[in-house]
Amino acid sequence: MASLNSETFHNVINGALKGASKQYHGINPFTEERLWPAPVATEEDLEEAVEAANVAFKTWKNTTLEDRRSRFQAFANALVAQKSEWADLVSKEAGQSIEFATDEVEVSHEYLTTIPNIDLPEYVTHDDEDVKATTKYYPLGVVAGICPWNFPVLLAAGKIASAVSTGNTIIIKPSPYTPYSELKLAELAQQFFPPGVIQALGGDDNLGPWMTKHPGIAKISFTGSTATGKRIMAAAASTLKRVTLELGGNDPSIVCPDIDLDIVIPKILEDVFTHSGQSCIDTKRIYVHKSIYDTFLSKFTAASKSLKLGHGYLSPLQNKMQYEKVASLRKDCQDQKYQFALGEPQEKSSSSPGYFVPPAIVSRPPENSRLVQEEPFGPIVPVLEWDDEDDVIRRANDTDQGLGATVWCRDPERAERIASQLEAGSVWVNRGAIPLPTALFGGIKQSGIGGEWGPLGLLSYCDARTFHFSKRP
Ligand code: NAD
């Protein structure tokens, strides 16, 4: 197999690699150095891709599931066969350590092989002597997969697997911050899928809005911020596009007094600091029972000190905007004189490149502080205290976000009682916040509309049609 060429990047349109007259560069978050030239798609490029996707759809929708599944298996195998090259690319553009980027490539393989093997349901909802009514699911057409910058390969892989295995075609739009591995993923896909089935366009801020208003696109699968999600939903209304919106979160983690701190703290540490807090389902607020608060804080702080910047899951922040946003939040905590258990801000040394931010832990900031109310998307977390179960549930739910939540509790009855009252699309009980390709993943409240993955996620890439068959001649 030819080695991955990670020096030149193209739009992938109708089975071909297409150059662009306008280009720009991503930035390596470790070094702040410019990466390779990346294409900026024009409106004509989008037209060409949408037309090719609609032509390909006419044939692709009629292919067998068996055919689609074997293509996905070969595609995923080709990805993982060169995982160190892919991990190197993801590391350089997204700012992940090699170890962490390798994990993203392996998990992408899992999603590309698991999702296409999920069977869609078929419902007989009425059956008497008169009529039999059956509801079946059919692909929509062309999907636009609009992606963020935090997990470029995995989030694109999840959208490609869901859309294409259900008979749709897809055009991937990477974040302008991380165009490289998604363009390469679409390039690799050309070896396994017919032209027009999987395409990708790099672009600037114009491309997303062109896609969301385009009449030739049937659905937008979007992962990104709540603010952009609202704009996409408004734009999609004019053509009544289907939308799946996977948006931001402010995920609480509730720690009960009966837990074994030595077992649970490493798991919470990972939930908080994965990709330096730049994962949508990272724990953003830790609520610890009063009776173990001090011990928890000192053990959690000691464990956080062992993390090394730029290693494991403690990445640099991906871009300057994010770096400044997190810096402003840390500064706000300092100005308000909140108590830092770790990571009180200091001046950044101009001699050290990279968007590195050391982990910060803030003890008992007020519930209405910016740190508790906003999604930091960086390595800073408030540790709050609770005493009354109803009160902590109320505080955990007191947000317009509802993406994920975690409960740590040995007593299974109490764990279930708390979990069932948490307003979040995914609730993890006594396990880290890690989604599964076989289970629906999505946010409630302002964390999203609909969801992806698992059988229910696949249905969001389909229209339901009900057939009423008369039993009388
Ligand atoms: P973002 O909303 O700024 O950008 C996401 C994508 O939308 C990019 O590709 C961007 O170019 C595009 N875009 C921007 N404006 C657009 C418009 N008007 N129309 C169409 N497309 C447009 O998000 P981000 O900063 O890249 O990602 C971070 C956010 O994503 C965080 O809030 C995080 O919680 C969220 N996120 C959510 C999930 C989830 O599954 N729920 C997963 C990862 C990230």
Side-chain angles (χ1 to χ4, degrees):
M1 183 176 298
S3 71
L4 181 72
N5 169 356
S6 48
E7 300 285 319
T8 53
F9 298 86
H10 308 274
N11 291 321
V12 182
I13 303 175
N14 202 15
L17 305 184
K18 201 172 167 213
S21 54
K22 193 173 160 196
Q23 299 193 315
Y24 76 106
H25 297 258
I27 300 285
N28 181 333
F30 285 97
T31 60
E32 296 180 50
E33 284 165 357
R34 275 158 55 126
L35 292 167
W36 316 274
V40 177
T42 60
E43 206 161 3
E44 290 69 42
D45 292 326
L46 176 65
E47 286 304 331
E48 210 183 308
V50 172
E51 197 188 330
N54 275 299
V55 170
F57 175 62
K58 290 193 182 113
T59 313
W60 183 250
K61 68 180 176 185
N62 294 322
T63 53
T64 63
L65 259 181
E66 203 183 24
D67 177 27
R68 293 177 205 162
R69 285 171 178 168
S70 70
R71 288 173 192 267
F72 268 105
Q73 187 66 55
F75 176 34
N77 289 350
L79 173 74
V80 93
Q82 297 187 327
K83 73 177 161 194
S84 57
E85 289 95 326
W86 282 93
D88 188 55
L89 180 60
V90 173
S91 169
K92 285 190 176 124
E93 74 167 330
Q96 300 177 5
S97 66
I98 290 291
E99 175 194 350
F100 192 65
T102 305
D103 192 52
E104 179 173 343
V105 176
E106 284 168 354
V107 177
S108 302
H109 174 272
E110 186 193 348
Y111 275 59
L112 285 170
T113 50
T114 305
I115 291 172
N117 281 296
I118 297 171
D119 288 320
L120 287 184
E122 188 176 304
Y123 297 107
V124 176
T125 54
H126 189 106
D127 194 4
D128 61 17
E129 64 281 1
D130 233 11
V131 59
K132 181 175 177 182
T134 311
T135 300
K136 297 183 184 182
Y137 292 90
Y138 291 83
L140 299 165
V142 180
V143 174
I146 301 182
C147 303
W149 43 257
N150 52 353
F151 294 98
V153 180
L154 175 59
L155 294 173
K159 292 183 193 308
I160 291 171
S162 305
V164 172
S165 73
T166 46
N168 300 281
T169 56
I170 190 164
I171 305 169
I172 289 287
K173 188 197 98 56
S175 163
Y177 289 114
T178 51
Y180 303 106
S181 46
E182 288 171 53
L183 292 173
K184 278 290 160 200
L185 191 65
E187 189 178 319
L188 178 67
Q190 304 317 301
Q191 296 175 29
F192 307 99
F193 295 88
V197 173
I198 298 173
Q199 305 180 89
L201 298 174
D204 56 20
D205 291 345
N206 292 316
L207 181 57
W210 288 338
M211 289 175 128
T212 52
K213 70 172 191 206
H214 200 295
I217 293 176
K219 174 185 166 116
I220 304 289
S221 166
F222 170 73
T223 303
S225 63
T226 297
T228 306
K230 289 178 184 177
R231 274 180 224 123
I232 287 179
M233 193 160 171
S238 67
T239 47
L240 278 188
K241 282 185 182 55
R242 277 62 182 147
V243 289
T244 298
L245 304 177
E246 301 276 14
L247 310 178
N250 191 0
D251 301 9
S253 180
I254 296 180
V255 183
C256 290
D258 62 352
I259 59 150
D260 182 330
L261 284 173
D262 294 329
I263 293 175
V264 170
I265 279 183
K267 294 179 193 297
I268 299 183
L269 197 74
E270 186 167 349
D271 277 358
V272 168
F273 293 118
T274 284
H275 204 359
S276 276
Q278 300 171 108
S279 166
C280 54
I281 44 164
D282 274 334
T283 290
K284 313 287 191 313
R285 300 173 281 156
I286 311 175
Y287 289 96
V288 182
H289 192 268
K290 190 177 178 177
S291 62
I292 56 164
Y293 184 91
D294 291 336
T295 321
F296 177 93
L297 188 66
S298 78
K299 288 192 174 211
F300 184 66
T301 304
S304 304
K305 282 182 186 161
S306 70
L307 300 175
K308 285 206 189 99
L309 275 184
H311 295 267
Y313 40 76
L314 210 54
S315 326
L317 296 189
Q318 199 280 329
N319 56 70
K320 194 150 192 259
M321 179 203 68
Q322 195 57 33
Y323 178 85
E324 281 165 2
K325 192 178 147 201
V326 174
S328 127
L329 206 49
R330 280 160 55 105
K331 175 84 169 46
D332 179 70
C333 292
Q334 191 177 42
D335 291 347
Q336 304 296 328
K337 306 208 176 342
Y338 301 151
Q339 198 189 331
F340 278 79
L342 184 71
E344 183 139 12
Q346 286 154 11
E347 286 299 305
K348 180 180 187 271
S349 152
S350 56
S351 62
S352 54
Y355 303 130
F356 290 101
V357 176
I361 300 166
V362 181
S363 170
R364 301 187 185 89
E367 208 70 19
N368 64 359
S369 57
R370 278 184 61 199
L371 180 61
V372 177
Q373 294 297 317
E374 293 178 17
E375 178 193 43
F377 230 53
I380 177 166
V381 70
V383 183
L384 303 137
E385 187 177 286
W386 68 275
D387 194 12
D388 176 73
E389 191 176 299
D390 290 338
D391 184 54
V392 74
I393 292 167
R394 182 193 59 73
R395 288 158 68 197
N397 289 337
D398 189 18
T399 163
D400 57 14
Q401 305 291 90
L403 189 60
T406 315
V407 183
W408 301 99
C409 183
R410 260 194 193 162
D411 171 357
E413 258 177 49
R414 186 178 206 186
E416 196 173 336
R417 188 171 65 233
I418 295 175
S420 64
Q421 294 177 77
L422 292 175
E423 295 166 358
S426 296
V427 181
W428 288 276
V429 181
N430 294 327
R431 55 183 278 123
I434 301 175
L436 298 166
T438 45
L440 182 71
F441 177 76
I444 61 173
K445 303 204 276 189
Q446 293 198 21
S447 287
I449 302 263
E452 304 209 275
W453 312 334
L456 293 176
L458 288 188
L459 293 188
S460 74
Y461 286 83
C462 302
D463 272 334
R465 298 185 201 167
T466 300
F467 298 88
H468 304 254
F469 284 100
S470 170
K471 291 198 178 166
R472 298 188 190 277

